[in-house]
């Protein structure tokens, strides 16, 4: 599957991850276009490690949505 011109390859909309701390990974929204390189810089404990497995389909999000090339990752 290929990206439609002008549409993000990865789209995260108001995603929240289930966590012990309700403030971790709360309401994350982001669009990544083809060819973009991004870096997440936040304080320790802000949810960086929790967010990546959600995009990769290794963890589910509690609410919101994550799509990669127009499809939701399947949680394994």
């Amino acid at each position: 599957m290929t990206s439609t011109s002008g549409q993000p390859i990865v789209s995260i909309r108001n995603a929240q991850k289930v966590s012990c701390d309700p403030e971790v990974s709360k309401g994350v929204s982001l669009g990544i276009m083809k060819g973009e390189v991004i870096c997440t810089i936040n304080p320790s404990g802000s949810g960086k490690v929790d967010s990546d497995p959600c995009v990769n389909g290794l963890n589910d999000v509690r609410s919101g949505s994550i799509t990669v090339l127009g499809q939701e990752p399947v949680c394994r």
Side-chain angles (χ1 to χ4, degrees), residues 19 24 28 43 63 72:
S19 177
V24 172
V28 175
S63 65
E72 291 188 21

Side-chain angles (χ1 to χ4, degrees), residues 3-8 33:
S3 173
T4 304
S5 179
Q7 297 294 319
M33 304 301 284

